[in-house]
Amino acid sequence: MKGLVIEGGERLVGEVTVSGAKNAALPALAAALLVDGTCRFTNVPHLRDVETFRALLESLGVRFRWKEKGELEVDASSIEGVTASYDLVKTMRASILVLGPLLARMEEAVVSLPGGCAIGARPVDLHLKGLEQLGVQIELEHGYIKARAPTLNGAQIYLDIPTVTGTENLMMAAATIQGTTVIENAACEPEVEELAEILKAMGAEIEGAGTTVLTIRGVEKLRPIEYRIMSDRIEAGTLMVAAGITGGNILMEGCRLEHMEAVVGKLREVGMEISPVREGKVRAVGDHRIRSADVKTLPYPGFPTDMQAQFMALITLANGLSVISETIFENRFMHVSELRRMGADIRVQGSTAIVNGVPALSGAPVMATDLRASASLVLAGLAATGMTVVSRAYHLERGYEDLEGKLAALGAKVKKVDLDEGLGEQEQGL
Ligand code: UD1
């Protein structure tokens, strides 16, 4: 099992480039299923989740070719299967994104129910309810969603919760069916807006991208495109926190501040300087004492749940009391017990964490439980005194492209090791 060994206390300084966004790349690959031809995407991050999604699409007959770094060709001219198996779906909930496009293209889809995951129950009822409104017949059998769509028609859909992948699934299902679909209370995350832009580039007629009301007028067919995936606002936020927690000064390329207002606002509130500089680059400076700040996670444009764990790591070192409320997922404080093992003073009451800042964290062996919790522990390790060993680093690989490489290039002492072989490498220095 791979783990990360971090020798804390180094100030991060230098330049770093933010990778393409995982949560934009996955729906882009799903959208390619709608096209009888080859789409070419650039700036695709090389991640475990992208590989899992590739394996899933390959099992349906889609052909992939990695070209140069970050360039991926997706040829969905022949679809041979309609089943997304449990083995593939269970490892990644976003696999549900094949449901909408498969129905639109093949009139049929069999997709394993994702089930629970470490951060909560995360049902897909709203995906299914919306699809039923478009005319899809759905049965749940043996843990699978069996969906048939002999004739689909546009409909008015109101989402009880602005679900991100639910909105994406419905948008993809509606792009090539008869009539007009209106999705109200749609998610307006930048990645949802990007999927609308991708579908529009393919020839779909979509209005309201990036707002809570999407209007999709069905078109006959979609065409192949070339498209550059946007940069990852969560990775950018994570790197900013890395600068903040180490008192560092980093210059970031590929960072879209307009997608990060809530996060940047909070980082400024705790004392960081975040400023756009030349050529679209952004500087993040953290050489001030961290101040406390309260945070509530919300759908976009609110503070993203995917940055909650990383922000918590930062304010464990603040000069006072901070309150973090998690309103999106019910079980997203798995990092708390591990941060406590590093000396953080955090109490959890239901969906609220009360963080009392401490002067220092101390390195410890800790275990990653999910993707963003892992990032939080790595960040804490960068600031802690002594050595932190984060086991189960594969969680990190799901959503961060070479995070340890990027941190090391900025001056962090961090290294991936094989924990089964012991930590012999630690003696060799990091
Ligand atoms: C997406 C992101 C994930 C992010 C999350 C919230 C991708 C691939 N993943 O996940 O990184 O943390 O948005 O910003 O883009 N819900 C229901 N019924 C449904 C669907 C969702 O009750 O049918 C609930 C969920 O349990 C959760 C909330 O809605 O409480 C938001 O979830 P959702 O937006 O669907 O998250 P994902 O799309 O899975």
Side-chain angles (χ1 to χ4, degrees):
M1 182 180 63
K2 297 276 184 224
L4 284 192
V5 180
I6 304 154
E7 184 77 47
E10 299 299 321
R11 192 172 167 257
L12 298 199
V13 179
E15 280 201 48
V16 63
T17 301
V18 179
S19 295
K22 166 177 90 72
N23 287 354
L26 298 176
L29 300 184
L33 263 181
L34 291 164
V35 178
D36 180 359
T38 301
C39 293
R40 196 164 66 89
F41 297 105
T42 55
N43 205 31
V44 179
H46 210 269
L47 301 170
R48 199 179 267 253
D49 273 9
V50 170
E51 285 303 314
T52 304
F53 207 64
R54 183 176 73 124
L56 172 55
L57 293 182
E58 276 177 347
S59 77
L60 304 173
V62 179
R63 284 189 293 268
F64 283 81
R65 223 164 347 153
W66 279 106
K67 308 283 278 184
E68 286 166 31
K69 187 176 182 298
E71 188 181 327
L72 187 56
E73 279 183 0
V74 190
D75 173 6
S77 19
S78 80
I79 307 287
E80 289 148 17
V82 292
T83 302
S85 73
Y86 174 67
D87 283 346
L88 288 165
V89 176
K90 75 171 184 217
T91 58
M92 191 182 68
R93 189 188 138 83
S95 308
I96 192 75
L97 282 170
V98 297
L99 183 57
L102 267 182
L103 282 166
R105 178 95 185 263
M106 306 298 285
E107 301 181 357
E108 200 185 348
V110 181
V111 178
S112 169
L113 278 162
C117 65
I119 64 171
R122 302 179 84 177
V124 290
D125 55 317
L126 300 174
H127 300 231
L128 304 187
K129 202 169 128 195
L131 290 170
E132 278 177 334
Q133 283 174 277
L134 297 177
V136 179
Q137 295 161 11
I138 292 174
E139 282 173 48
L140 300 182
E141 232 179 58
H142 309 301
Y144 277 80
I145 302 160
K146 295 194 169 166
R148 290 192 48 232
T151 48
L152 288 179
N153 282 299
Q156 186 95 11
I157 299 169
Y158 175 84
L159 293 172
D160 296 338
I161 299 172
T163 155
V164 172
T165 47
T167 304
E168 292 168 345
N169 242 334
L170 293 170
M171 223 189 330
M172 289 188 280
T176 54
I177 64 178
Q178 267 180 25
T180 298
T181 299
V182 178
I183 308 174
E184 287 183 90
N185 200 28
C188 36
E189 269 69 4
E191 296 79 14
V192 180
E193 184 178 356
E194 170 131 310
L195 175 63
E197 295 307 328
I198 287 173
L199 292 170
K200 276 158 65 177
M202 289 172 168
E205 289 185 17
I206 302 176
E207 270 170 39
T211 75
T212 56
V213 182
L214 289 167
T215 305
I216 304 133
R217 266 175 227 95
V219 296
E220 188 93 350
K221 67 187 286 217
L222 300 181
R223 57 176 176 266
I225 54 160
E226 286 189 22
Y227 200 94
R228 180 179 165 82
I229 302 295
M230 70 201 291
S231 62
D232 195 311
R233 64 194 166 103
I234 305 301
E235 185 196 318
T238 304
L239 290 166
M240 285 176 184
V241 172
I245 206 164
T246 62
N249 183 333
I250 66 173
L251 191 59
M252 303 167 66
E253 178 151 15
C255 176
R256 306 259 307 257
L257 283 186
E258 71 272 24
H259 293 158
M260 301 181 63
E261 283 184 13
V263 170
V264 167
K266 281 294 156 187
L267 294 178
R268 287 183 178 143
E269 196 178 324
V270 303
M272 285 192 69
E273 277 171 38
I274 312 282
S275 42
V277 289
R278 61 190 194 288
E279 297 158 12
K281 294 183 183 173
V282 170
R283 186 170 291 287
V285 183
D287 54 5
H288 307 280
R289 178 82 165 101
I290 298 158
R291 294 195 290 263
S292 58
D294 298 342
V295 158
K296 187 179 199 173
T297 63
L298 288 169
Y300 189 84
F303 192 94
T305 175
D306 285 351
M307 274 301 297
Q308 180 258 107
Q310 301 90 313
F311 189 77
M312 191 187 291
L314 181 64
I315 50 155
T316 60
L317 291 167
N319 65 351
L321 205 70
S322 308
V323 178
I324 295 196
S325 312
E326 172 59 59
T327 75
I328 308 292
F329 293 117
E330 70 269 29
N331 189 19
R332 210 169 194 182
F333 285 141
M334 313 274 281
H335 41 288
V336 167
S337 52
E338 301 299 287
L339 288 173
R340 273 201 206 121
R341 301 187 59 253
M342 300 178 72
D345 179 356
I346 309 170
R347 265 180 306 137
V348 174
Q349 286 171 355
S351 58
T352 303
I354 299 151
V355 185
N356 194 8
V358 292
L361 296 172
S362 68
V366 286
M367 191 185 286
T369 46
D370 67 66
L371 168 56
R372 306 304 170 186
S374 328
S376 160
L377 300 175
V378 171
L379 292 167
L382 292 176
T385 54
M387 184 176 293
T388 296
V389 181
V390 183
S391 56
R392 302 198 176 167
Y394 57 84
H395 285 294
L396 212 58
E397 292 164 6
R398 286 191 46 206
Y400 287 97
E401 190 178 48
D402 190 26
L403 185 65
E404 68 280 4
K406 287 176 183 171
L407 295 173
L410 293 169
K413 288 188 176 165
V414 52
K415 196 163 165 181
K416 194 173 271 179
V417 297
D418 203 330
L419 294 181
D420 292 335
E421 287 167 15
L423 290 175
E425 285 157 88
Q426 63 189 257
E427 268 95 47
Q428 296 161 24
L430 291 170

